[in-house]
Amino acid sequence: MNVPRTLSIAACAFALAGSAAVADAAKVYRWTDKNGVTHYGDSAPNANQTAAAREGSVKEIRVQAEPSAIARLRVESDGGRYLAFADNTLAGPIEVLVSFSRSNNIVGDPPLPARAMVPPRSSALVAVLSAADPGRGGDFELRMDSLPGDPNARPGDIEYLLPLRQDEFRIDQGYGGQFSHTDSQNRYAVDFAADVGTPVVAARDGVVMQVESDFDKAGLNRERYGGRANFVRILHDDGTMALYAHLRSEGVMARVGQRVRAGQQIGLSGNTGFTTGPHLHFAVQVNRGMRLESIPFRMRGPSGPLRIASGSP
């Protein structure tokens, strides 16, 4: 829901945990050929298809898609035992926790719940499952929780750049803002006022670890929109991660795995997810052992070091 321009505070919360990331939207393309036959596809028609389509008949339809997965659980049979693997889909390290949802005469080695670190775009064997009593049958169900980042990250004392390319800026919600910066993931986040389409730049060198760009809705229903926004997550050399959230639909301008420099444009600000209005949500986060936490940071503005006050103006 769009908020009137007279609203002075733009605030948000952004949560990212579990085995799934941010819910997004996808596109389906529909076109009618010269014979009147209607076609559907998950990509725009190619040159031959377009030539065969009636002029102006190609339509783009937005549909709700499943959330993008941070990691996938894969179980393989291995001669009477089962191997539980975690597949990391991100361009940065993740931590996973595999546990039993149900277990009947099945044990894990190591015992479940078991944690594992999984390198970028790699797989890791988390546990080997077998019958506790080989003389009788058994069955089991597994669940896996996953979180971006390495719990061994050691944040350095770094001065970040202002993440927006604009002459003037305003902080609408600072550290510990009571509207939405009260949990560990957002406690040290900052919401910068920004019109939709304002260039968003990397505040520090790093590797683009994760992006979402197709979500197109916003509102104040936390259950529906909390954690649902377009964003870019950038991994820094010390293991910390910068989150740039609430970007415009299709407003991501960086690709996963890309190395970016401080000041390089990575997207366009927007108004997606749990938010009261257009702004950029910026946070520096670390994984503290299956717990994502935001941390205080230093930042330089146009006139020198930026003073980030607590709460909201």
Side-chain angles (χ1 to χ4, degrees), residues 172-193:
D172 280 347
Q173 187 176 200
Y175 292 170
Q178 290 302 301
F179 177 77
S180 58
H181 292 180
T182 56
D183 64 337
S184 62
Q185 294 187 42
N186 297 288
R187 183 162 295 114
Y188 294 105
V190 175
D191 290 346
F192 293 97

Side-chain angles (χ1 to χ4, degrees), residues 14-18 70 94-97 115-117 145-155 182-188 233 239-241 284-295:
F14 192 86
L16 182 60
I70 292 175
I94 65 171
E95 185 179 20
V96 300
L97 177 69
R115 295 188 186 187
M117 285 296 305
D145 297 297
S146 57
L147 204 70
D150 185 341
N152 296 315
R154 295 293 178 264
T182 56
D183 64 337
S184 62
Q185 294 187 42
N186 297 288
R187 183 162 295 114
Y188 294 105
R233 180 181 296 277
T240 60
M241 301 168 290
V284 179
Q285 298 176 326
V286 290
N287 176 359
R288 288 305 185 216
M290 292 302 297
R291 187 180 71 256
L292 199 60
E293 293 186 356
S294 56
I295 61 175

Side-chain angles (χ1 to χ4, degrees), residues 2 23 43 45 57 64 72 88 101 103 117 123 132 142 154 161 164 197 202-203 216 218 241 247 273 279:
N2 291 329
S43 59
S57 74
Q64 195 69 23
R72 297 184 177 92
N88 180 4
S101 296
S103 174
M117 285 296 305
S123 300
L142 297 177
R154 295 293 178 264
L161 299 182
L164 290 166
D216 62 355
M241 301 168 290
L247 304 183
H279 70 286

